[in-house]
Coordinates of all heavy atoms in Angstrom, one line a residue:
M1 N 0.9 -1.2 0.0 CA 0.0 0.0 0.0 C 0.9 1.2 0.0 O 1.9 1.3 0.7 CB -0.9 0.0 1.2 CG -1.8 -1.2 1.4 SD -3.3 -1.0 0.5 CE -3.9 -2.6 0.5
S2 N 0.5 2.2 -0.8 CA 1.4 3.4 -0.9 C 1.1 4.6 -0.1 O 1.9 5.4 0.1 CB 1.4 3.7 -2.4 OG 0.1 4.0 -2.9
N3 N -0.2 4.7 0.3 CA -0.6 5.9 1.1 C -1.3 5.5 2.4 O -1.7 4.3 2.5 CB -1.6 6.7 0.3 CG -1.0 7.2 -1.0 OD1 0.0 7.9 -1.1 ND2 -1.7 6.9 -2.1
S4 N -1.4 6.5 3.3 CA -2.1 6.1 4.6 C -2.8 7.3 5.1 O -2.4 8.5 4.8 CB -1.1 5.6 5.6 OG -0.2 6.5 6.0
I5 N -3.9 7.1 5.9 CA -4.6 8.2 6.6 C -5.0 7.6 7.9 O -4.9 6.3 8.2 CB -5.9 8.6 5.8 CG1 -6.8 7.4 5.6 CG2 -5.6 9.3 4.5 CD1 -8.2 7.8 5.1
S6 N -5.3 8.5 8.8 CA -5.8 8.1 10.2 C -7.2 8.5 10.2 O -7.7 9.5 9.9 CB -5.0 8.8 11.2 OG -3.7 8.4 11.3
I7 N -8.0 7.5 10.8 CA -9.5 7.7 10.9 C -9.8 7.5 12.4 O -9.5 6.5 13.0 CB -10.3 6.7 10.0 CG1 -9.9 6.8 8.6 CG2 -11.8 6.8 10.3 CD1 -10.4 8.1 7.9
T8 N -10.7 8.4 12.9 CA -11.2 8.3 14.2 C -12.7 7.9 14.1 O -13.5 8.6 13.5 CB -11.1 9.7 15.0 OG1 -9.7 10.0 15.0 CG2 -11.7 9.5 16.4
Y9 N -12.9 6.7 14.6 CA -14.3 6.2 14.6 C -14.6 5.4 15.8 O -13.6 4.6 16.1 CB -14.6 5.4 13.3 CG -16.0 4.9 13.3 CD1 -17.0 5.7 12.7 CD2 -16.4 3.7 13.8 CE1 -18.3 5.3 12.6 CE2 -17.8 3.4 13.8 CZ -18.7 4.1 13.2 OH -20.0 3.7 13.2
P10 N -15.7 5.5 16.5 CA -16.7 6.5 16.3 C -16.3 7.9 16.7 O -15.2 8.1 17.3 CB -17.9 6.0 17.1 CG -17.2 5.2 18.2 CD -16.0 4.6 17.6
T11 N -17.0 8.9 16.3 CA -16.7 10.3 16.6 C -16.5 10.4 18.1 O -17.3 9.9 18.8 CB -17.8 11.2 16.1 OG1 -18.0 11.0 14.7 CG2 -17.5 12.7 16.3
G12 N -15.4 11.1 18.4 CA -15.2 11.3 19.9 C -14.3 10.3 20.5 O -13.9 10.4 21.6
C13 N -14.0 9.3 19.7 CA -13.0 8.2 20.2 C -11.6 8.8 20.4 O -11.2 9.7 19.6 CB -13.0 7.1 19.2 SG -12.0 5.7 19.7
E14 N -10.9 8.4 21.4 CA -9.6 8.9 21.7 C -8.5 8.4 20.8 O -7.5 9.1 20.6 CB -9.2 8.7 23.1 CG -10.1 9.4 24.1 CD -9.7 9.2 25.5 OE1 -8.6 8.6 25.8 OE2 -10.5 9.5 26.4
T15 N -8.7 7.2 20.2 CA -7.7 6.7 19.3 C -8.1 6.7 17.9 O -9.3 6.6 17.6 CB -7.3 5.2 19.7 OG1 -8.5 4.4 19.7 CG2 -6.8 5.2 21.2
S16 N -7.2 6.7 17.0 CA -7.5 6.6 15.6 C -6.9 5.3 15.0 O -6.0 4.7 15.5 CB -7.0 7.8 14.8 OG -5.6 7.9 15.0
L17 N -7.4 4.9 13.9 CA -7.0 3.7 13.1 C -6.2 4.2 11.9 O -6.7 5.0 11.2 CB -8.1 2.8 12.8 CG -9.0 2.3 13.9 CD1 -10.2 1.6 13.4 CD2 -8.2 1.4 14.8
K18 N -5.1 3.6 11.7 CA -4.3 3.9 10.5 C -4.8 3.0 9.4 O -4.9 1.8 9.5 CB -2.8 3.6 10.7 CG -1.9 3.9 9.6 CD -0.5 3.6 9.8 CE 0.4 3.9 8.6 NZ 1.8 3.5 8.8
I19 N -5.1 3.6 8.2 CA -5.6 2.9 7.0 C -4.5 3.1 5.9 O -4.2 4.2 5.6 CB -6.9 3.5 6.6 CG1 -7.9 3.6 7.7 CG2 -7.4 2.6 5.4 CD1 -8.2 2.3 8.4
N20 N -4.0 2.0 5.5 CA -3.1 2.0 4.3 C -4.0 1.8 3.1 O -4.8 0.9 3.1 CB -2.0 0.9 4.4 CG -1.1 1.2 5.6 OD1 -0.7 2.2 5.8 ND2 -0.8 0.1 6.3
Y21 N -3.7 2.5 2.0 CA -4.5 2.3 0.9 C -3.8 2.6 -0.4 O -2.7 3.2 -0.5 CB -5.8 3.3 0.9 CG -5.4 4.8 0.8 CD1 -5.5 5.4 -0.5 CD2 -5.1 5.5 1.8 CE1 -5.2 6.7 -0.6 CE2 -4.8 6.9 1.8 CZ -4.9 7.5 0.5 OH -4.6 8.8 0.4
A22 N -4.3 2.0 -1.5 CA -3.8 2.2 -2.9 C -5.0 2.4 -3.8 O -6.0 1.8 -3.6 CB -3.0 1.0 -3.3
I23 N -4.8 3.3 -4.7 CA -5.8 3.6 -5.7 C -5.4 3.1 -7.1 O -4.3 3.4 -7.5 CB -6.1 5.1 -5.8 CG1 -6.6 5.6 -4.4 CG2 -7.2 5.4 -6.8 CD1 -6.8 7.1 -4.3
E24 N -6.3 2.3 -7.8 CA -6.0 1.9 -9.1 C -7.2 2.3 -10.0 O -8.3 2.3 -9.6 CB -5.9 0.4 -9.1 CG -4.8 -0.2 -8.3 CD -4.7 -1.7 -8.4 OE1 -5.2 -2.3 -9.4 OE2 -4.2 -2.3 -7.4
M25 N -6.8 2.7 -11.2 CA -7.8 3.0 -12.2 C -7.7 2.1 -13.4 O -6.7 1.7 -13.9 CB -7.6 4.5 -12.7 CG -8.0 5.6 -11.8 SD -9.7 5.7 -11.4 CE -10.4 6.1 -13.0
S26 N -8.9 1.7 -13.9 CA -9.0 0.8 -15.0 C -10.1 1.4 -15.9 O -11.3 1.2 -15.6 CB -9.3 -0.6 -14.6 OG -9.5 -1.4 -15.8
E27 N -9.7 2.2 -16.9 CA -10.7 2.9 -17.7 C -11.5 3.9 -16.7 O -10.9 4.7 -16.1 CB -11.6 2.0 -18.5 CG -10.8 1.3 -19.5 CD -11.6 0.4 -20.4 OE1 -12.9 0.6 -20.5 OE2 -11.1 -0.5 -21.0
S28 N -12.8 3.7 -16.5 CA -13.5 4.6 -15.7 C -13.8 3.9 -14.3 O -14.5 4.6 -13.5 CB -14.9 4.9 -16.4 OG -15.7 3.8 -16.5
L29 N -13.3 2.7 -14.0 CA -13.5 2.1 -12.7 C -12.3 2.4 -11.8 O -11.2 2.1 -12.2 CB -13.7 0.6 -13.0 CG -13.9 -0.2 -11.7 CD1 -15.3 0.2 -11.0 CD2 -13.9 -1.7 -11.9
Q30 N -12.7 2.9 -10.7 CA -11.6 3.2 -9.6 C -11.8 2.1 -8.5 O -12.9 1.8 -8.1 CB -11.8 4.5 -9.0 CG -10.9 4.9 -7.9 CD -11.3 6.1 -7.1 OE1 -12.4 6.1 -6.6 NE2 -10.4 7.1 -7.1
T31 N -10.7 1.6 -8.1 CA -10.6 0.6 -7.0 C -9.7 1.2 -5.9 O -8.5 1.5 -6.2 CB -10.1 -0.8 -7.4 OG1 -11.0 -1.2 -8.5 CG2 -10.1 -1.7 -6.3
I32 N -10.2 1.3 -4.7 CA -9.4 1.7 -3.6 C -9.3 0.5 -2.7 O -10.3 0.1 -2.1 CB -10.0 2.9 -2.8 CG1 -10.2 4.1 -3.7 CG2 -9.1 3.3 -1.6 CD1 -10.9 5.3 -3.1
S33 N -8.1 0.0 -2.5 CA -7.8 -1.2 -1.7 C -7.3 -0.7 -0.4 O -6.3 0.1 -0.3 CB -6.8 -2.1 -2.3 OG -7.3 -2.5 -3.6
C34 N -7.9 -1.0 0.7 CA -7.6 -0.6 2.0 C -7.2 -1.7 3.0 O -7.8 -2.8 2.9 CB -8.8 0.2 2.6 SG -9.3 1.6 1.7
S35 N -6.4 -1.4 3.9 CA -6.0 -2.3 5.0 C -5.8 -1.5 6.3 O -5.1 -0.5 6.3 CB -4.6 -3.0 4.6 OG -4.2 -3.8 5.6
V36 N -6.4 -2.1 7.3 CA -6.3 -1.4 8.6 C -5.1 -1.9 9.3 O -4.8 -3.1 9.4 CB -7.6 -1.7 9.5 CG1 -7.5 -1.1 10.9 CG2 -8.9 -1.4 8.8
D37 N -4.2 -0.9 9.8 CA -3.0 -1.3 10.4 C -2.9 -0.8 11.8 O -2.8 0.4 12.1 CB -1.8 -0.6 9.6 CG -0.5 -0.9 10.1 OD1 -0.3 -1.8 10.9 OD2 0.5 -0.1 9.7
C38 N -3.2 -1.8 12.7 CA -3.1 -1.4 14.2 C -2.8 -2.7 15.0 O -2.9 -3.8 14.4 CB -4.4 -0.7 14.6 SG -5.9 -1.8 14.5
E39 N -2.4 -2.5 16.2 CA -2.0 -3.6 17.1 C -3.3 -4.3 17.6 O -3.4 -5.5 17.8 CB -1.1 -3.1 18.2 CG 0.2 -2.8 17.7 CD 1.2 -2.3 18.8 OE1 0.9 -2.6 19.9 OE2 2.2 -1.6 18.5
R40 N -4.3 -3.5 18.1 CA -5.5 -4.0 18.7 C -6.7 -3.5 17.8 O -6.9 -2.3 17.8 CB -5.6 -3.5 20.1 CG -4.5 -4.1 21.0 CD -4.7 -3.7 22.4 NE -6.0 -4.1 22.9 CZ -6.6 -3.6 24.0 NH1 -5.9 -2.9 24.8 NH2 -7.8 -4.0 24.4
Y41 N -7.4 -4.4 17.3 CA -8.5 -4.0 16.4 C -9.8 -3.9 17.3 O -10.0 -4.6 18.3 CB -8.8 -5.1 15.4 CG -7.7 -5.2 14.4 CD1 -6.7 -6.2 14.6 CD2 -7.7 -4.4 13.3 CE1 -5.7 -6.3 13.6 CE2 -6.6 -4.5 12.4 CZ -5.7 -5.5 12.5 OH -4.7 -5.5 11.6
P42 N -10.6 -2.9 17.1 CA -11.9 -2.7 17.8 C -12.8 -3.9 17.6 O -12.7 -4.5 16.5 CB -12.5 -1.5 17.2 CG -11.4 -0.8 16.4 CD -10.4 -1.8 16.0
L43 N -13.6 -4.2 18.6 CA -14.5 -5.4 18.5 C -15.5 -5.3 17.3 O -15.8 -6.2 16.7 CB -15.2 -5.6 19.8 CG -14.3 -6.0 21.0 CD1 -15.1 -6.1 22.3 CD2 -13.7 -7.4 20.7
W44 N -15.9 -4.0 17.0 CA -16.9 -3.8 16.0 C -16.3 -4.0 14.6 O -17.1 -4.2 13.7 CB -17.6 -2.4 16.2 CG -16.6 -1.3 16.2 CD1 -16.1 -0.7 17.3 CD2 -16.0 -0.7 15.1 NE1 -15.2 0.3 16.9 CE2 -15.1 0.4 15.5 CE3 -16.1 -0.8 13.7 CZ2 -14.3 1.2 14.7 CZ3 -15.3 0.0 12.9 CH2 -14.5 1.0 13.3
L45 N -15.0 -3.9 14.4 CA -14.5 -3.9 13.1 C -14.3 -5.4 12.6 O -13.5 -6.1 13.1 CB -13.1 -3.3 13.1 CG -12.4 -3.1 11.7 CD1 -13.3 -2.3 10.7 CD2 -11.0 -2.5 11.9
Q46 N -15.2 -5.8 11.7 CA -15.2 -7.1 11.2 C -14.4 -7.4 9.9 O -14.3 -8.5 9.5 CB -16.7 -7.6 11.0 CG -17.4 -7.6 12.3 CD -18.8 -8.1 12.2 OE1 -19.4 -8.0 11.1 NE2 -19.4 -8.5 13.2
L47 N -13.9 -6.4 9.3 CA -13.0 -6.5 8.1 C -11.7 -5.8 8.4 O -11.6 -4.6 8.8 CB -13.7 -5.9 6.9 CG -15.0 -6.6 6.3 CD1 -15.5 -5.7 5.2 CD2 -14.6 -8.0 5.9
R48 N -10.6 -6.5 8.2 CA -9.3 -5.9 8.3 C -8.8 -5.3 7.0 O -7.9 -4.4 7.0 CB -8.2 -6.9 8.7 CG -8.6 -7.7 10.0 CD -8.7 -6.8 11.2 NE -8.8 -7.6 12.5 CZ -9.9 -7.7 13.1 NH1 -11.0 -7.1 12.7 NH2 -10.0 -8.4 14.2
S49 N -9.3 -5.8 5.9 CA -9.0 -5.2 4.6 C -10.3 -5.2 3.7 O -11.1 -6.1 3.9 CB -7.9 -5.9 3.9 OG -8.2 -7.2 3.7
F50 N -10.4 -4.2 2.8 CA -11.5 -4.1 2.0 C -11.2 -3.3 0.8 O -10.3 -2.6 0.7 CB -12.7 -3.5 2.8 CG -12.4 -2.2 3.5 CD1 -12.6 -1.0 2.9 CD2 -11.8 -2.2 4.8 CE1 -12.2 0.2 3.5 CE2 -11.6 -1.0 5.4 CZ -11.7 0.2 4.8
D51 N -12.1 -3.5 -0.2 CA -12.0 -2.7 -1.4 C -13.2 -1.8 -1.6 O -14.3 -2.3 -1.3 CB -11.9 -3.6 -2.7 CG -10.6 -4.4 -2.7 OD1 -9.5 -3.8 -2.2 OD2 -10.6 -5.5 -3.1
V52 N -13.1 -0.6 -2.2 CA -14.2 0.2 -2.5 C -14.1 0.6 -3.9 O -13.0 0.9 -4.4 CB -14.2 1.6 -1.6 CG1 -15.4 2.4 -1.9 CG2 -14.2 1.2 -0.1
F53 N -15.2 0.4 -4.7 CA -15.2 0.6 -6.1 C -16.1 1.9 -6.4 O -17.1 2.1 -5.8 CB -15.8 -0.6 -6.8 CG -15.2 -1.9 -6.5 CD1 -15.7 -2.8 -5.5 CD2 -14.0 -2.2 -7.1 CE1 -15.0 -4.0 -5.2 CE2 -13.3 -3.4 -6.8 CZ -13.9 -4.3 -5.8
S54 N -15.6 2.6 -7.4 CA -16.5 3.7 -7.9 C -16.2 3.9 -9.4 O -15.2 3.4 -9.9 CB -16.1 5.0 -7.1 OG -14.7 5.3 -7.2
V55 N -17.1 4.6 -10.0 CA -17.1 4.8 -11.4 C -16.9 6.3 -11.6 O -17.6 7.2 -11.0 CB -18.4 4.4 -12.1 CG1 -18.4 4.8 -13.6 CG2 -18.6 2.9 -11.9
K56 N -16.0 6.7 -12.5 CA -15.7 8.1 -12.9 C -16.5 8.5 -14.1 O -16.4 7.8 -15.1 CB -14.2 8.3 -13.1 CG -13.9 9.8 -13.4 CD -12.4 10.0 -13.6 CE -12.0 11.4 -13.8 NZ -10.6 11.5 -14.0
D57 N -17.3 9.5 -14.0 CA -18.1 10.0 -15.1 C -18.1 11.6 -15.0 O -18.5 12.2 -14.1 CB -19.5 9.5 -15.0 CG -20.4 9.9 -16.2 OD1 -19.8 9.9 -17.3 OD2 -21.6 10.2 -16.0
H58 N -17.5 12.2 -16.1 CA -17.4 13.6 -16.2 C -16.6 14.2 -15.0 O -17.1 15.2 -14.5 CB -18.8 14.3 -16.4 CG -19.4 13.9 -17.7 ND1 -20.4 12.9 -17.7 CD2 -19.3 14.3 -18.9 CE1 -20.8 12.7 -18.9 NE2 -20.1 13.6 -19.7
G59 N -15.6 13.6 -14.6 CA -14.8 14.1 -13.5 C -15.3 13.8 -12.1 O -14.7 14.3 -11.1
T60 N -16.4 13.2 -12.0 CA -17.0 12.9 -10.6 C -17.1 11.4 -10.4 O -17.4 10.7 -11.3 CB -18.4 13.5 -10.6 OG1 -18.3 14.9 -10.9 CG2 -19.1 13.3 -9.2
Y61 N -16.8 11.0 -9.2 CA -16.8 9.6 -8.9 C -18.1 9.2 -8.1 O -18.5 9.9 -7.2 CB -15.6 9.2 -7.9 CG -14.3 9.3 -8.6 CD1 -13.6 10.5 -8.7 CD2 -13.8 8.2 -9.2 CE1 -12.4 10.7 -9.3 CE2 -12.5 8.3 -9.9 CZ -11.9 9.6 -10.0 OH -10.7 9.7 -10.6
T62 N -18.7 8.1 -8.5 CA -19.9 7.6 -7.9 C -19.5 6.2 -7.3 O -19.1 5.3 -8.0 CB -21.1 7.4 -8.9 OG1 -21.3 8.7 -9.4 CG2 -22.3 6.9 -8.2
V63 N -19.7 6.1 -6.0 CA -19.3 4.9 -5.3 C -20.3 3.8 -5.7 O -21.5 4.0 -5.9 CB -19.2 5.0 -3.8 CG1 -20.6 5.3 -3.2 CG2 -18.6 3.8 -3.1
L64 N -19.8 2.5 -5.8 CA -20.6 1.4 -6.2 C -20.9 0.6 -5.0 O -20.0 0.4 -4.1 CB -19.9 0.5 -7.3 CG -19.6 1.2 -8.6 CD1 -18.8 0.3 -9.5 CD2 -20.9 1.7 -9.3
F65 N -22.1 0.0 -4.9 CA -22.5 -0.9 -3.8 C -21.6 -2.1 -3.8 O -21.5 -2.8 -4.8 CB -23.9 -1.2 -3.8 CG -24.4 -2.1 -2.7 CD1 -24.6 -1.6 -1.4 CD2 -24.5 -3.5 -2.9 CE1 -25.0 -2.4 -0.4 CE2 -25.0 -4.3 -1.9 CZ -25.2 -3.8 -0.7
N66 N -21.0 -2.5 -2.7 CA -20.3 -3.7 -2.5 C -20.9 -4.5 -1.4 O -20.7 -4.2 -0.2 CB -18.8 -3.4 -2.2 CG -17.9 -4.6 -2.2 OD1 -18.4 -5.7 -2.2 ND2 -16.6 -4.4 -2.3
E67 N -21.5 -5.6 -1.7 CA -22.3 -6.4 -0.7 C -21.3 -6.9 0.4 O -21.7 -7.0 1.5 CB -23.0 -7.6 -1.4 CG -23.8 -8.3 -0.4 CD -24.7 -9.4 -1.1 OE1 -24.7 -9.4 -2.3 OE2 -25.3 -10.1 -0.4
V68 N -20.1 -7.3 0.0 CA -19.1 -7.8 1.0 C -18.9 -6.7 2.1 O -18.9 -7.1 3.3 CB -17.8 -8.1 0.3 CG1 -16.7 -8.5 1.4 CG2 -18.0 -9.3 -0.7
N69 N -18.8 -5.5 1.8 CA -18.5 -4.4 2.7 C -19.7 -4.1 3.6 O -19.6 -3.7 4.7 CB -18.1 -3.1 2.1 CG -16.8 -3.2 1.4 OD1 -16.0 -4.2 1.6 ND2 -16.5 -2.2 0.5
N70 N -20.9 -4.4 3.1 CA -22.1 -4.0 3.7 C -22.8 -5.3 4.4 O -23.9 -5.2 5.0 CB -23.1 -3.3 2.8 CG -22.6 -2.0 2.5 OD1 -22.5 -1.1 3.4 ND2 -22.3 -1.7 1.2
S71 N -22.2 -6.4 4.3 CA -22.8 -7.6 4.9 C -22.3 -7.8 6.4 O -22.8 -8.7 7.0 CB -22.4 -8.9 4.1 OG -21.0 -9.1 4.2
K72 N -21.5 -7.0 6.9 CA -21.1 -7.0 8.2 C -21.9 -6.1 9.1 O -23.0 -5.7 8.7 CB -19.6 -6.6 8.4 CG -18.7 -7.4 7.4 CD -18.8 -8.9 7.8 CE -17.9 -9.7 6.8 NZ -18.0 -11.1 7.0
N73 N -21.5 -5.8 10.3 CA -22.3 -5.0 11.2 C -22.3 -3.5 10.7 O -21.6 -3.1 9.8 CB -21.8 -5.1 12.7 CG -20.4 -4.5 12.9 OD1 -19.9 -3.6 12.1 ND2 -19.7 -5.0 13.9
L74 N -23.2 -2.8 11.3 CA -23.5 -1.4 10.9 C -22.2 -0.5 11.1 O -21.8 0.3 10.3 CB -24.7 -0.8 11.6 CG -25.0 0.7 11.2 CD1 -25.3 0.8 9.8 CD2 -26.2 1.1 12.1
D75 N -21.5 -0.7 12.2 CA -20.3 0.1 12.5 C -19.3 -0.1 11.5 O -18.6 0.8 11.0 CB -19.8 -0.2 13.9 CG -20.5 0.6 15.0 OD1 -20.8 1.8 14.7 OD2 -20.7 0.0 16.0
T76 N -19.1 -1.4 11.0 CA -18.1 -1.6 10.0 C -18.5 -0.9 8.7 O -17.6 -0.4 8.0 CB -18.0 -3.2 9.8 OG1 -17.5 -3.8 11.0 CG2 -16.9 -3.5 8.7
S77 N -19.8 -1.0 8.3 CA -20.2 -0.4 7.1 C -20.0 1.1 7.1 O -19.6 1.8 6.2 CB -21.7 -0.7 6.8 OG -21.8 -2.1 6.6
L78 N -20.4 1.7 8.3 CA -20.2 3.2 8.4 C -18.7 3.6 8.4 O -18.4 4.6 7.9 CB -20.9 3.7 9.7 CG -22.4 3.6 9.7 CD1 -23.0 3.9 11.1 CD2 -23.0 4.5 8.6
F79 N -17.9 2.8 9.0 CA -16.5 3.0 9.0 C -15.9 3.0 7.6 O -15.1 3.9 7.2 CB -15.8 2.0 9.9 CG -14.3 2.0 9.9 CD1 -13.6 3.0 10.5 CD2 -13.5 1.1 9.2 CE1 -12.2 3.1 10.5 CE2 -12.2 1.2 9.1 CZ -11.5 2.2 9.8
I80 N -16.3 2.0 6.8 CA -15.8 1.9 5.4 C -16.3 3.2 4.6 O -15.5 3.7 3.9 CB -16.3 0.6 4.7 CG1 -15.6 -0.6 5.4 CG2 -16.1 0.6 3.3 CD1 -16.1 -1.9 5.0
D81 N -17.5 3.6 4.8 CA -18.0 4.8 4.2 C -17.2 6.0 4.5 O -16.8 6.9 3.7 CB -19.5 5.1 4.5 CG -20.4 4.1 3.9 OD1 -20.0 3.4 2.9 OD2 -21.6 4.1 4.3
L82 N -16.8 6.2 5.8 CA -16.0 7.2 6.3 C -14.6 7.2 5.8 O -14.0 8.2 5.3 CB -15.9 7.3 7.9 CG -15.1 8.3 8.5 CD1 -15.6 9.7 8.2 CD2 -15.0 8.1 10.0
V83 N -14.0 6.0 5.7 CA -12.7 5.8 5.1 C -12.7 6.3 3.6 O -11.8 7.0 3.2 CB -12.2 4.4 5.2 CG1 -10.9 4.1 4.3 CG2 -11.9 4.0 6.6
Y84 N -13.7 5.8 2.8 CA -13.8 6.2 1.4 C -13.9 7.7 1.3 O -13.2 8.3 0.5 CB -15.0 5.6 0.8 CG -15.3 6.0 -0.6 CD1 -14.5 5.6 -1.7 CD2 -16.3 6.9 -0.9 CE1 -14.7 6.0 -3.0 CE2 -16.5 7.4 -2.2 CZ -15.7 6.9 -3.2 OH -15.9 7.3 -4.5
A85 N -14.8 8.4 2.1 CA -15.0 9.8 2.0 C -13.7 10.5 2.4 O -13.3 11.5 1.7 CB -16.1 10.3 2.9
S86 N -13.0 10.0 3.4 CA -11.8 10.7 3.8 C -10.6 10.5 2.8 O -9.8 11.5 2.6 CB -11.3 10.1 5.1 OG -12.3 10.3 6.2
I87 N -10.6 9.4 2.2 CA -9.5 9.2 1.1 C -9.8 10.1 -0.1 O -8.9 10.7 -0.6 CB -9.5 7.7 0.7 CG1 -8.9 6.9 1.8 CG2 -8.6 7.6 -0.6 CD1 -8.9 5.4 1.6
M88 N -11.1 10.1 -0.5 CA -11.4 11.0 -1.6 C -11.1 12.4 -1.4 O -10.6 13.2 -2.2 CB -12.9 10.8 -2.0 CG -13.2 9.4 -2.5 SD -12.3 8.9 -4.0 CE -13.3 9.7 -5.2
K89 N -11.4 12.9 -0.1 CA -11.1 14.3 0.3 C -9.6 14.5 0.3 O -9.1 15.5 -0.2 CB -11.7 14.6 1.6 CG -11.5 16.0 2.1 CD -12.2 16.3 3.4 CE -12.0 17.7 3.8 NZ -12.6 18.0 5.1
A90 N -8.8 13.6 0.8 CA -7.4 13.7 0.9 C -6.7 13.7 -0.5 O -5.7 14.4 -0.7 CB -6.8 12.5 1.8
E91 N -7.3 13.0 -1.4 CA -6.8 12.9 -2.8 C -7.3 14.0 -3.6 O -7.0 14.1 -4.8 CB -7.0 11.5 -3.3 CG -6.4 10.4 -2.6 CD -4.9 10.3 -2.9 OE1 -4.4 10.8 -3.9 OE2 -4.2 9.8 -1.9
R92 N -8.2 14.8 -3.1 CA -8.9 15.9 -3.8 C -9.7 15.4 -5.0 O -9.6 15.9 -6.2 CB -7.9 17.0 -4.2 CG -7.4 17.7 -3.0 CD -6.4 18.8 -3.5 NE -6.0 19.7 -2.4 CZ -4.9 19.5 -1.6 NH1 -4.1 18.5 -1.9 NH2 -4.6 20.3 -0.7
L93 N -10.4 14.3 -4.9 CA -11.2 13.7 -5.9 C -12.7 14.0 -5.6 O -13.1 13.8 -4.4 CB -11.0 12.2 -6.0 CG -9.5 11.8 -6.3 CD1 -9.4 10.3 -6.2 CD2 -9.2 12.2 -7.7
K94 N -13.4 14.4 -6.6 CA -14.8 14.8 -6.4 C -15.8 13.7 -6.4 O -15.7 12.8 -7.3 CB -15.2 15.8 -7.5 CG -16.5 16.4 -7.4 CD -16.8 17.5 -8.5 CE -18.2 18.0 -8.3 NZ -18.5 18.9 -9.4
C95 N -16.6 13.6 -5.4 CA -17.6 12.5 -5.3 C -19.0 13.1 -5.6 O -19.3 14.2 -5.4 CB -17.7 12.0 -3.8 SG -16.2 11.2 -3.3
A96 N -19.8 12.2 -6.2 CA -21.2 12.6 -6.6 C -22.0 12.6 -5.3 O -21.8 12.0 -4.3 CB -21.8 11.5 -7.5

């Protein structure tokens, strides 16, 4: 993984999780591969690594539904959404 960000979840939590990520483009399909890097994983986090897919159309990215990411508990799904939004903001990529 080539980049990393820190995410605090849930809001107000004292510790943050380091997320290593890599972005790949294949024509108009964007894949962000993420891996959580920490010594102690929160109990609610049911995925240690995940991919988020989006489609680029006219300079704007639209995230695609990924059943694997949303088949876990609600906190894991919300965390993945927050990671995606944070990465897109850090990379200055426009979301729909």
Side-chain angles (χ1 to χ4, degrees):
M1 302 276 168
S2 56
N3 299 306
S4 66
I5 58 170
S6 293
I7 301 291
T8 301
Y9 183 88
T11 303
C13 184
E14 294 180 12
T15 59
S16 61
L17 299 172
K18 180 181 177 186
I19 311 299
N20 296 317
Y21 68 92
I23 300 175
E24 295 179 28
M25 286 296 297
S26 176
E27 295 182 22
S28 63
L29 180 66
Q30 177 193 58
T31 303
I32 301 177
S33 300
C34 302
S35 175
V36 181
D37 182 14
C38 64
E39 292 179 17
R40 294 184 56 191
Y41 295 96
L43 294 175
W44 55 263
L45 184 60
Q46 295 182 337
L47 292 173
R48 306 294 189 256
S49 61
F50 51 90
D51 295 324
V52 182
F53 305 100
S54 56
V55 175
K56 183 178 182 182
D57 184 37
H58 296 99
T60 302
Y61 293 86
T62 302
V63 68
L64 300 175
F65 179 77
N66 185 345
E67 186 173 350
V68 173
N69 294 348
N70 290 296
S71 65
K72 305 301 179 183
N73 65 28
L74 181 59
D75 277 320
T76 299
S77 297
L78 293 173
F79 175 73
I80 291 171
D81 289 346
L82 178 61
V83 169
Y84 174 75
S86 299
I87 290 172
M88 295 300 280
K89 183 177 180 180
E91 297 289 334
R92 294 182 171 93
L93 300 172
K94 186 177 177 183
C95 297

